[in-house]
Amino acid sequence: MAPARRWLQHNLSALIMAPTAAVTLVFVYGFIAWTVYMSFTGSRMMPVYELIGFDAYTRLWQMERWGVSIRNLLIFGGLFMVLNLALGLLLAVLLDQRIRFEGTLRAIFLYPMALSFIVTGTVWKWMLNPGLGLERSVHLLGFTSFKFDWIIDPDYAIYTIVIAGVWQTSGLIMAMFLAALRGVDQDVVKAAYMDGASMPQIYWGIIIPSIRPAFFSAIVVLAHLAVKSFDLVIAMTNGGPGYATDLPSIFMYAMSFQRNNIAVGSATAVMMLCTVMAIVVPYLYSELRPGRRHD
Amino acid sequence: MRQASNLLRGVACAVGLCLSGTAAQAAPTVEVLHWMTSGGQAKAMKSLKDDMESQGGKWIDTPVGGGSSEEALTKLRARVLGGDAPSSVQLKGPLIQEWGALGVLQPIDDVAAAGKWEQALPKSVAATMKYKGQWVAAPVNVHRLDWMYANPAVLKKVGITMPATWEQFDTAAAKLKAAGITPLAHGGQAWQDASLWEVIVISVGGPAFHQKALVELDPKALGGETMQKVFDRMRKLRGYVDPNFSGRDWNLATAMIMNGTAGFQIMGDWVKGDMTAAGKQAGKDYVCANPPGTDNAFLFIVDSFAMFKSKDAERLAGQKLFARLLMEPRFQENFNLAKGSIPVRTDMKLDKFDSCALAASEHMAKTVKSGGFAPSAIHDMAVPMAVKGAMTDVVTKHFNSDMSSAEAARRLADAVKLARE
């Protein structure tokens, strides 16, 4: 009785985690492996299991539209992450000044996250449409020279997606930073204040460096949101005008499910996985290396 | 009505009991995977279901919402991989051949022979319903892609008639523009750009060029001079579209015709279904005509149901009953009145159809003889989906940028080659 009980006590957490681990192994890593395998076959409408090498990848990189979606990912992903981090941090710092109605304001800023990207996309689509939204309203006010038609301009349409994306996500990033700011040791801040440091100096020199882990979480969240973003673009521009706002996720969907080209679709998915790994793995390594952390 | 059909079903069951004794509860069963879920289409499917049940059959409905084929085809893939294919699936064109090549389609030659399908259908339609000479699918309608619509009140206001040549179209467009009316109502979605382009291909190049370039995918035709002329025309039409067209749905473009803010729309006959639903009458509230240069052309889209193999005797029986009903004049009439298309059978009376449908039917008979009856490549009747996608990419890129016609034709030939390899 006693040894069994002790064994159970010792292994209880492992036992409880086992089903989850098994499911994750199959449905995450198993399917990643399957996708990688598919990308080396000549699968078209249905999966075939005969390996033919790098054909799907060469085909992929020859496609002009793939080039456009990669370029768009760099523009969208870069701006989306930088603007979200900057805006989220700024909002968090301002909210951290012990102001009145903080709870209300926090709810207001966090609220966009409660909407789905489809809703956000549709609303922004209408607001930015020159014949319906912002441009027309300003015209009706009498300023007829006002022009804001980015959403129908192939060169600028991708930036409208950034605007909508940042509007949606910056509240969440703010909440993450705010939680981290509240965890900063107030004694250190007070000590710095005694030494005559100004508020900006304290933030820049002490507080922000001490919330590094929050930056880490925010970057991981933002990077994967950027790479997998799909519904926002579908709702706002459906990849258009033409395919000017195409992203790898949309390209992958088109290849796998609209054009019966599973091999190229899988190759696209693998490229997307590599992109995320290229950002996250070095960062993970530098952050989690033992001995690197001072605190 | 429902009582009557229940009664009929009762009678049919009773007859079945007498004839087959112990196997009485075995009703012919059909499971239909389709995406005809919008108002008129759903009504048409319901009439088919009632027909089926009145003959003692059992109907399992597997609708996929959203009105597009993608999710349904994904579902079909999963079902076939799992060894549990639905008895019948809404499929068309080369997709029937692709599934046929996987060996999962059920031949229904006996039904086709009994119903004399061969005689009732145009040859090119019959060909797409067969895999290696065996009937594996039944067609339900013919849509025509190359239609041009206008609002007669608008035409009268600026003093123009339906243009018969592109020069006349240009003159009409200039007059419309001067009157502050958008000359061409167009929705800026990739498939709509491509649909317009295919109409221009057959209009500028003629049916023989369309066949060579978009069906046989001849690289010289795809990248040649005639194709450059097609793109020249596309560039001109781009100038007739209002600036807000990006991302607009086709039915919003149709609304522009109905409320008089635009002159013409070039789009398939599903536009008519929407006009009818809005209470508009052909000939009075809107007129339809061949777009310039398409007097001897007819770009057809045929919706059909393909039959999938099953080991179950009840399912096989149900499938045959279903196929027979699909081709019966009664269903063809009900279905096409609701959908805006015309019956695929050439031997039917069309008393209940409107003037546009009658014109389409006449035009179909004429072009079947002249050789202008052409399958639409952009609407999955002629080429694999990868090729169609490659064409769409180039066309929409050209339409939404300042790419030159020569560059567009070159890219078209390259993209199609890459998609075919």
Side-chain angles (χ1 to χ4, degrees):
Chain A
M1 185 65 197
R5 201 191 161 104
R6 201 174 315 131
W7 181 87
L8 194 66
Q9 238 168 17
H10 202 72
N11 293 303
L12 188 63
S13 55
L15 272 176
I16 290 173
M17 289 306 289
T20 317
V23 166
T24 310
L25 207 64
V26 173
F27 289 100
V28 176
Y29 298 98
F31 284 173
I32 289 176
W34 192 81
T35 306
V36 173
Y37 187 92
M38 273 298 123
S39 71
F40 290 106
T41 66
S43 303
R44 289 289 183 137
M45 187 170 71
M46 295 281 268
V48 294
Y49 294 92
E50 191 191 341
L51 293 172
I52 58 163
F54 284 92
D55 179 69
Y57 291 91
T58 46
R59 199 186 283 270
L60 177 66
W61 284 99
Q62 276 177 300
M63 287 182 182
E64 206 255 349
R65 184 171 161 183
W66 170 244
V68 170
S69 54
I70 285 287
R71 200 194 59 129
N72 280 342
L73 180 64
L74 293 179
I75 296 176
F76 172 73
L79 285 174
F80 179 75
M81 287 169 70
V82 169
L83 290 178
N84 259 325
L85 287 175
L87 204 63
L89 186 61
L90 183 71
L91 287 173
V93 168
L94 293 178
L95 266 188
D96 195 31
Q97 307 306 312
R98 315 274 163 207
I99 50 171
R100 282 206 287 173
F101 309 119
E102 189 203 307
T104 318
L105 286 173
R106 202 167 49 193
I108 289 173
F109 286 122
L110 198 53
Y111 190 69
M113 205 58 203
L115 301 173
S116 84
F117 273 116
I118 290 284
V119 177
T120 310
T122 310
V123 170
W124 278 95
K125 174 169 91 175
W126 290 336
M127 287 207 326
L128 295 176
N129 184 305
L132 293 172
L134 199 62
E135 186 178 306
R136 188 173 149 81
S137 320
V138 177
H139 283 193
L140 290 178
L141 288 175
F143 304 96
T144 43
S145 59
F146 177 79
K147 202 165 177 241
F148 189 67
D149 59 355
W150 283 10
I151 199 165
I152 57 167
D153 186 329
D155 295 331
Y156 289 98
I158 188 71
Y159 297 101
T160 63
I161 312 264
V162 177
I163 296 174
V166 170
W167 178 82
Q168 171 102 322
T169 325
S170 55
L172 173 77
I173 304 302
M174 175 207 76
M176 289 170 77
F177 280 136
L178 194 58
L181 288 176
R182 290 290 148 83
V184 173
D185 187 353
Q186 290 302 311
D187 291 342
V188 182
V189 177
K190 276 179 197 145
Y193 196 67
M194 291 302 216
D195 287 345
S198 68
M199 236 20 211
Q201 274 176 328
I202 293 175
Y203 267 103
W204 193 248
I206 300 171
I207 298 182
I208 291 175
S210 70
I211 56 169
R212 274 183 70 101
F215 271 95
F216 172 66
S217 319
I219 286 174
V220 171
V221 167
L222 289 173
H224 97 271
L225 271 179
V227 175
K228 79 173 188 189
S229 58
F230 177 84
D231 32 9
L232 183 65
V233 184
I234 291 290
M236 259 179 96
T237 61
N238 202 3
Y243 49 85
T245 49
D246 210 14
L247 287 177
S249 54
I250 297 173
F251 183 87
M252 190 215 82
Y253 180 78
M255 285 301 146
S256 312
F257 302 114
Q258 298 174 322
R259 301 197 180 170
N260 284 345
N261 211 337
I262 290 179
V264 173
S266 305
T268 315
V270 174
M271 297 310 304
M272 283 163 68
L273 180 69
C274 292
T275 317
V276 178
M277 301 284 258
I279 301 170
V280 174
V281 168
Y283 200 71
L284 209 63
Y285 182 72
S286 73
E287 279 301 309
L288 302 182
R289 204 161 30 158
R292 169 76 176 72
R293 308 273 292 269
H294 311 289
D295 45 356
Chain B
M1 181 63 212
R2 170 165 296 168
Q3 273 178 346
S5 82
N6 274 345
L7 188 69
L8 263 174
R9 185 160 28 144
V11 172
C13 284
V15 172
L17 254 174
C18 299
L19 292 178
S20 55
T22 51
Q25 60 275 67
T29 307
V30 68
E31 184 190 358
V32 186
L33 178 67
H34 64 96
W35 52 93
M36 297 195 187
T37 48
S38 76
Q41 298 172 346
K43 219 169 118 192
M45 292 304 281
K46 172 86 171 49
S47 86
L48 188 59
K49 182 184 172 208
D50 290 343
D51 273 4
M52 187 84 191
E53 286 178 348
S54 73
Q55 307 258 345
K58 202 172 146 221
W59 172 281
I60 305 172
D61 205 29
T62 310
V64 179
S68 95
S69 59
E70 290 143 27
E71 276 153 65
L73 291 175
T74 305
K75 194 166 181 177
L76 175 62
R77 252 185 287 225
R79 292 280 301 265
V80 171
L81 278 174
D84 172 36
S87 353
S88 181
V89 183
Q90 189 187 346
L91 276 187
K92 61 184 178 183
L95 265 182
I96 297 176
Q97 307 301 318
E98 284 183 51
W99 283 104
L102 294 170
V104 292
L105 295 185
Q106 171 72 40
I108 46 166
D109 286 337
D110 45 346
V111 183
K116 301 206 165 82
W117 291 7
E118 198 77 63
Q119 289 91 316
L121 297 175
K123 229 185 204 112
S124 42
V125 173
T128 58
M129 299 300 131
K130 293 183 204 169
Y131 177 69
K132 291 204 171 149
Q134 285 184 311
W135 290 89
V136 290
V140 291
N141 65 356
V142 181
H143 277 295
R144 182 183 176 194
L145 176 62
D146 45 336
W147 266 127
M148 181 166 69
Y149 306 88
N151 185 335
V154 172
L155 297 186
K156 208 172 158 198
K157 197 167 125 197
V158 293
I160 51 175
T161 53
M162 282 306 250
T165 64
W166 285 115
E167 286 70 41
Q168 283 175 19
F169 190 93
D170 291 338
T171 323
K175 279 188 185 163
L176 285 165
K177 235 179 190 171
I181 298 168
T182 305
L184 183 66
H186 181 64
Q189 290 164 333
W191 73 268
Q192 294 190 57
D193 297 341
S195 299
L196 180 63
W197 172 75
E198 186 168 21
V199 174
I200 305 302
V201 166
I202 206 160
S203 151
V204 171
F209 176 73
H210 176 271
Q211 169 77 18
K212 192 125 198 116
L214 266 58
V215 180
E216 291 164 20
L217 304 176
D218 178 58
K220 277 194 196 116
L222 283 168
E225 257 174 60
T226 315
M227 193 55 83
Q228 291 184 23
K229 276 189 203 139
V230 170
F231 281 112
D232 286 343
R233 179 37 66 186
M234 286 297 280
R235 178 62 68 229
K236 264 216 159 129
L237 290 177
R238 173 70 178 80
Y240 299 149
V241 173
D242 64 310
N244 291 329
F245 79 108
S246 267
R248 179 189 288 149
D249 287 320
W250 64 267
N251 46 355
L252 295 181
T254 302
M256 291 169 70
I257 299 288
M258 286 195 270
N259 63 27
T261 52
F264 302 101
Q265 184 181 15
I266 297 174
M267 180 48 74
D269 55 16
W270 41 93
V271 164
K272 251 176 39 176
D274 247 49
M275 295 269 198
T276 312
K280 305 285 179 191
Q281 273 180 15
K284 190 166 134 265
D285 302 307
Y286 68 97
V287 285
C288 47
N290 303 333
T294 58
D295 286 338
N296 57 351
F298 189 118
L299 285 168
F300 72 86
I301 301 150
V302 171
D303 285 319
S304 48
F305 284 91
M307 308 299 159
F308 280 73
K309 271 187 186 151
S310 166
K311 288 195 184 84
D312 191 307
E314 287 158 36
R315 290 206 159 211
L316 287 176
Q319 209 166 37
K320 287 188 174 162
L321 178 60
F322 176 69
R324 182 163 68 78
L325 291 173
L326 281 178
M327 274 291 284
E328 266 177 15
R330 193 182 118 81
F331 168 72
Q332 294 260 333
E333 181 174 288
N334 287 341
F335 184 82
N336 287 301
L337 281 174
K339 210 166 176 246
S341 44
I342 56 174
V344 66
R345 295 186 75 109
T346 50
D347 54 357
M348 271 180 62
K349 279 208 179 114
L350 300 173
D351 305 340
K352 290 188 188 160
F353 288 82
D354 62 29
S355 58
C356 289
L358 293 177
S361 173
E362 223 170 83
H363 201 65
M364 174 166 133
K366 192 178 104 184
T367 50
V368 164
K369 278 198 199 104
S370 74
F373 191 62
S376 164
I378 294 304
H379 290 267
D380 303 321
M381 293 306 298
V383 293
M385 284 157 105
V387 174
K388 166 193 119 173
M391 287 174 176
T392 307
D393 281 352
V394 176
V395 171
T396 190
K397 177 89 187 178
H398 169 265
F399 204 68
N400 287 291
S401 68
D402 49 10
M403 191 191 288
S404 74
S405 300
E407 165 92 2
R410 190 181 58 73
R411 281 201 195 187
L412 181 69
D414 289 350
V416 168
K417 184 168 166 271
L418 189 64
R420 282 184 85 187
E421 271 168 2

